[in-house]
Structures are given as C-alpha cells and as structure tokens.
Amino acid sequence: MSHPHPELGPPPALAEGGLRITPLGGLGEIGRNMTVFEFGGKLLIVDCGVLFPEEEQPGVDLILPDFSSIRDRLDDVVGIILTHGHEDHIGAVPFLLREKDDIPLIGSKLTLALIEAKLQEHRIRPYALEVREGDRERIGPFDCEFIAVNHSIPDALAVAIRTPAGMVVATGDFKMDQLPLDGRLTDLPTFARLGEEGIDLLLADSTNAEVPGFVAPERDISQVLRQTFGRADKRIIVASFASHVHRIQQVLDAAHAHRRKVAFVGRSMVRNMGIARDLGYLKVPGNLVVDVKVLDDLPDEQVVLVCTGSQGEPMAALSRMANRDHQIRIVEGDTVILASSLIPGNENAVYRVINGLTRWGANVVHKGNAKVHVSGHASAGELLYFYNICKPRNLMPIHGEWRHLRANAELGQLTGIPKERCVIAEDGVAVDLVNGVAKIAGKVTAGYVYVDGLSVGDITESSLKDRRILGEEGIVSVFVVVDTATGKIVGGPNIHARGSGIEDEAFAAVIPKIEEGLSRSASDGVMETRQIQQLIRRSVGKWVSDTYRRRPMILPVVVEV
C-alpha cells in the first residue's frame, strides 16, 4: 500500500502517453471534493466542491480547493464534470468560473439546474452540457461514459474516463440501495461490463468504508417519519440538507398523510426544492406547500417547517432557533427531526443545537434515538461486492478522512487487488497511470483557501491563529505617547483589556515596568517606533503570563513627540 510522504517534491513532466490524476480536495477530509485529470496537455476536472468550517476556523464561511496549481493552465481545462448536486461537489464552481467563465460544465439535469441557480447569484452564465446515464461524450482527449449511481440526491452519476493511458472510473458518492425511492438503481451491469473491458484505476468513495454490512434502504425511513408525525401534538420542524430531495419527499408524504401544511425555511432550501419540483424530481400534492407567513394562521397541529441546519451550522435556521435568534420560536411540545447523518467533525455543534432545542421544550428526534436517516454512501459489504464486480487493476480511495481511505484500501486488498496497487494519496498528491500501473509522482500545493464574506484567499492560517487567540484569550491594547529624545512617557499609558477577564485597573502594576524599559532603551539610543512597540508587547505580555497564566493578544499603539 503506497502512501504520500511529507518530503514529496513537485511532480516531474508527465510521461508520454501517461495519465495524471491530482486530487485538490476530498482526501483526508469530508468535503471539498475536486480531482484534476491530465492527458495530452489537457485537463479535465471532476467535481469542484466546498468544505464547511469547523470551530477552530472562526469567521470563515467556506473553504475552497486551492486552484493555484492549475491557475496558469485554465485555458487547458476542457470541462468540469459534476457527479451530483451536493455542495461538497459543486459549491466551489462559482469561484473557479470567476477566474475563467467559459469552462464547460457537464452534469445531469438536476445537478446543472442546482449549479446554474447558484451561478446566477454570481452573474455567471456558463456553457453547460447535460448528460444522463448511458451517454458517452468526448471532452477534449477524454472519452467519458456516464453511469447511474444511487445516492442521497437524484441524478447522481459515476464517470468512466478513457484515454490511451487506460480507463479510470470515478464513482463520485454512491451506494447500492436495492429499493431506491425513485427506482433508479446503481447500474451494476454497466460496472460489470467496464470491469470485463478492464478498469485500470478505480477511484472509489471511502466515506463508509469502516461501516460493516450494507446500508439500509431509504424507504425504511418513511414508516418512522409517519409514526413520528402521528405522535406529534404541535408543530413539526424537520432539518435536512437543502439538496436532499429524497428525504424532503418523504417528509412531504408524511405531512400529506397527516393533513399538515409544509413551509420551506431558508433561501437555499426554498430555491433547491423549487428547482426539484419544477423538474419533476419532487412530487408535491396540491396545496400542500405554503409560504411560511401562512403558518401563523394555522393551528400548531397542522404545521410542518422544513429548514437547514442539521449539521449545527451556526448561521443556519435550526441553530438560530436553538439560540432564540430566529423569527420561529421553539415552544414546549414542538417536535424537531434531524433527518441527516453526522458529518465527522460536526458532532459538538450538532449536540449543542440539540441541547438548545431541548432547553426550550422541544422533543428532538435524531439518528441517535430513531431511524430518521440512512447514509448515502456504500458500506464495507457494498464496497466488497463492488470491487468483485469491477475487478480494477489499481485502486485509489477517495472522499474520506485518513481512516476511511485506509479502510477502503484494505477492502480492496481483500478482493485480490495487490497491496502495491492500492494507492493512498492526499490532497495535492499527483498519481500517474503509466503502462497500467498507478504510482505517486509528486505533490503540488493544495492548501485551504478561506472565504470570509467577500474576501477569497485573504485569510491565512496566521489570521485564524490571531482570531483564535482573540476568541480564547482576549486582547490588551496599550496607548502611549513617548518623547523619543528622553524616552519618557508624556501621555498614558492607557491600558484596556477586552475578553481577557482582567480588570483595567490591574494593569497599574505593569506601568513601572514599561517606564523602566523605555528609559533603558532611550539610554541605549534605541527609540524607533517598532522597537518601542516590541518592548511594550514583551513587558505587558510577560506580566500577564506571570500573573494570570494567560496569553492575550497585546496591541501597542505608540505616538511619538
């Protein structure tokens, strides 16, 4: 089993007739999925998604893949294939098209509709090629065949990419639900045919590789939802991903059966469900869905609200309801259903929301106490079955944290794929397929690019470190007027603390230390502004550390006279 090494350098020029695969996101993390394929001097991108920030990334709205390794080669990009419409696969497309807006997008009807609605907000009108399962399109030097796969959103596709270097199959996100709500099965006969033709490299979804057995069918949830609706005496609030059309369909069916009206809350939820309804993917009984304002005129037992926030996102509707920061106020007896899985890393945020909702008297139903969600990703049993059908010569696990990638590689080995042909890479690691063998070739830059408001890429790790210090330790500002000739303080110092838990009056004890240091510096002839600031920062910082065992940010402001 090969794996990247921290000392990897830039990859050499691609061998004649070889195919290079470079993931720029999605490996070692859940989200930010993006993979670049290179052949014959041309690039093909599969997916371009975002990652949502965690607690240690305060103020960040989104995290993008790093486009720097392809920024000088955007004219070589022949297309972006989007496997499905989840944010972790399409969310970064607008940011890439800002840099070159005529790159063609290739995807299924629903996927393209979701991304085109998003691009309208950025005033980008892309060229789009709609494909469906069974289609085969030549995109530059890449011969691409699209295969139906089952996931937690309709119209998901895998893609087989043929070049003279060999055939690569990228699964996208998939599972093998044998009783899908829309009747659209993962196309195992086509995967078997491709396996007989010869799959040189398989890029396979790893998210559930540690989970034994098979994923339960989506339809198992319908009965649980109906029972939950039947027990609810007051309002029902359902939180789900804004693109989980199948789950919303089940909620609509349960609401209709119990004679309740449904309102969508949140811009992304309203937009996406409107698109799904218009395209026929969401079947809405007449007069079932109403505007949220209408609900005020209905009795609680006839109300269902569908919103975002199932992952504890701080600005999503459900989190704001839990914090009493939303027009919809949770009251005693409301039922809240979290109809989604827990994305790794979001556990604390989700439980914080659950506790907040429970505090106000809500009955919270979630995956931990009821079967209100099944995963959209293949478990270990399905992956084993899949590998035995596909019989790939090389395997590269994608879409998952390190533990998922390794577990997936071990599953491949159990089905007979040689250990040395199971390539575990990470973001930025280039894998070359040459003469039927996949090997790590080098590494390109693939760090996090942070979106903060209108700023893209301006926030650095150093900026986030400063924010964490401010959030955890607070700030101490020191304003002082200094006579540079004598080193004496002629005004101040005025010291104020915020968020540090230290009273301003306490800093009287450090003023003599500042005065002593300035006097010593003046006698040494060292009185430049930057050096005075450093002296104040060290004096105050050491005193705070020795006295309070704290490390706030020290912000000295020096005025010279």
Side-chain angles (χ1 to χ4, degrees):
M1 188 188 302
S2 53
H3 58 84
H5 200 271
E7 287 78 31
L8 277 175
L14 181 57
E16 183 74 24
L19 173 68
R20 175 163 290 166
I21 302 98
T22 309
L24 297 183
L27 276 68
E29 61 201 358
I30 303 290
R32 212 170 61 114
N33 300 290
M34 180 178 180
T35 307
V36 180
F37 295 80
E38 178 181 358
F39 181 83
K42 297 297 182 182
L43 306 178
L44 176 68
I45 296 171
V46 174
D47 290 325
C48 187
V50 296
L51 180 68
F52 293 101
E54 297 184 9
E55 288 181 354
E56 64 268 21
Q57 293 148 341
V60 173
D61 299 317
L62 296 170
I63 305 172
L64 308 179
D66 188 342
F67 304 142
S68 60
S69 64
I70 61 170
R71 185 163 282 123
D72 295 336
R73 299 191 60 189
L74 292 181
D75 288 339
D76 296 331
V77 178
V78 295
I80 304 171
I81 293 174
L82 303 172
T83 59
H84 64 280
H86 281 153
E87 284 293 302
D88 60 336
H89 289 257
I90 68 171
V93 170
F95 299 92
L96 182 56
L97 292 192
R98 279 187 193 176
E99 304 196 20
K100 191 173 190 298
D101 63 8
D102 61 349
I103 301 175
L105 302 180
I106 303 100
S108 63
K109 179 188 288 186
L110 178 61
T111 303
L112 290 179
L114 293 174
I115 188 59
E116 285 170 359
K118 185 184 293 289
L119 287 170
Q120 284 179 7
E121 300 176 5
H122 295 261
R123 298 178 181 174
I124 298 172
R125 304 180 72 86
Y127 169 74
L129 172 63
E130 183 182 314
V131 294
R132 55 173 294 132
E133 56 265 27
D135 288 353
R136 191 164 171 175
E137 298 283 348
R138 179 163 285 278
I139 306 168
F142 304 93
D143 178 1
C144 300
E145 181 177 352
F146 299 91
I147 311 120
V149 291
N150 183 258
H151 186 41
S152 54
I153 186 172
D155 256 9
L157 295 168
V159 58
I161 302 170
R162 295 177 175 88
T163 68
M167 186 205 302
V168 178
V169 173
T171 65
D173 288 350
F174 86 108
K175 62 177 176 177
M176 299 199 300
D177 190 338
Q178 299 305 297
L179 298 169
L181 296 176
D182 58 3
R184 187 173 177 271
L185 294 160
T186 292
D187 189 354
L188 296 178
T190 293
F191 283 112
R193 172 176 58 80
L194 296 174
E196 291 301 320
E197 182 181 335
I199 297 173
D200 294 287
L201 176 61
L202 178 61
L203 276 59
D205 179 11
S206 306
T207 310
N208 266 359
E210 288 187 312
V211 180
F214 288 69
V215 175
E218 288 275 350
R219 65 180 58 218
D220 285 2
I221 294 170
S222 296
Q223 186 62 31
V224 178
L225 284 175
R226 291 188 182 228
Q227 291 171 356
T228 303
F229 274 51
R231 290 194 298 265
D233 298 324
K234 291 190 176 181
R235 296 180 304 177
I236 297 174
I237 299 162
V238 181
S240 177
F241 293 118
S243 53
H244 201 333
V245 179
H246 291 153
R247 188 71 69 251
I248 305 305
Q249 183 68 67
Q250 291 172 307
V251 171
L252 293 180
D253 293 343
H256 183 60
H258 289 85
R259 299 183 180 181
R260 288 177 177 259
K261 298 293 185 183
V262 177
F264 297 123
V265 180
R267 186 178 60 167
S268 59
M269 183 67 74
V270 171
R271 180 190 65 201
N272 289 356
M273 291 308 112
I275 291 169
R277 178 176 54 190
D278 293 344
L279 295 179
Y281 293 96
L282 191 68
K283 306 293 190 295
V284 183
N287 301 318
L288 177 68
V289 175
V290 298
D291 188 275
V292 68
K293 296 175 184 175
V294 175
L295 299 183
D296 291 337
D297 301 325
L298 295 174
D300 286 351
E301 65 270 15
Q302 293 180 19
V303 171
V304 176
L305 293 149
V306 179
C307 67
T308 57
S310 60
Q311 296 303 309
E313 305 95 312
M315 295 309 294
L318 194 67
S319 295
R320 292 172 58 202
M321 291 178 203
N323 293 330
R324 277 288 200 262
D325 182 30
H326 197 277
Q327 63 189 37
I328 296 166
R329 311 282 283 186
I330 299 294
V331 299
E332 186 80 32
D334 283 346
T335 296
V336 179
I337 302 173
L338 273 64
S340 68
S341 61
L342 270 177
I343 292 177
N346 292 350
E347 293 88 350
N348 289 341
V350 172
Y351 290 129
R352 190 158 48 243
V353 169
I354 291 173
N355 282 322
L357 296 167
T358 305
R359 176 187 179 191
W360 306 119
N363 171 35
V364 184
V365 180
H366 54 90
K367 190 180 178 183
N369 59 23
K371 193 170 186 178
V372 289
H373 177 76
V374 297
S375 177
H377 304 268
S379 293
E382 292 161 86
L383 289 169
L384 289 170
Y385 193 87
F386 186 68
Y387 295 151
N388 283 327
I389 289 173
C390 293
K391 296 178 287 191
R393 298 186 178 100
N394 299 269
L395 173 65
M396 179 175 167
I398 58 172
H399 304 174
E401 298 177 343
W402 272 100
R403 57 196 174 96
H404 305 127
L405 301 179
R406 286 197 177 277
N408 202 0
E410 289 166 4
L411 292 173
Q413 292 167 42
L414 289 175
T415 64
I417 304 170
K419 184 176 182 179
E420 63 274 12
R421 296 289 187 96
C422 295
V423 181
I424 296 183
E426 64 181 337
D427 293 343
V429 170
V431 175
D432 287 358
L433 180 64
V434 180
N435 297 324
V437 178
K439 288 186 177 179
I440 288 172
K443 190 173 185 179
V444 301
T445 302
Y448 282 0
V449 175
Y450 298 108
V451 178
D452 184 356
L454 296 178
S455 159
V456 179
D458 295 337
I459 301 300
T460 63
E461 291 295 341
S462 176
S463 305
L464 290 180
K465 181 180 178 182
D466 288 346
R467 289 182 179 184
R468 287 192 289 269
I469 291 173
L470 288 171
E472 295 168 4
E473 302 284 354
I475 183 172
V476 176
S477 62
V478 184
F479 181 84
V480 62
V481 182
V482 177
D483 183 337
T484 53
T486 64
K488 292 192 177 297
I489 297 173
V490 296
N494 296 320
I495 305 177
H496 300 284
R498 294 290 181 273
S500 66
I502 305 172
E503 296 294 332
D504 289 352
E505 294 77 13
F507 288 98
V510 79
I511 291 176
K513 297 179 183 297
I514 298 174
E515 293 173 336
E516 179 186 338
L518 288 173
S519 177
R520 190 166 52 249
S521 292
S523 63
D524 293 339
V526 180
M527 290 304 293
E528 292 182 3
T529 300
R530 184 180 62 83
Q531 292 166 324
I532 295 173
Q533 289 174 332
Q534 284 289 83
L535 186 151
I536 293 172
R537 187 178 288 115
R538 282 197 300 268
S539 298
V540 176
K542 185 177 187 304
W543 178 82
V544 171
S545 177
D546 291 345
T547 309
Y548 293 96
R549 294 292 185 268
R550 295 176 191 163
R551 298 176 62 85
M553 181 174 288
I554 312 296
L555 185 63
V557 179
V558 176
V559 176
E560 297 179 354
V561 295

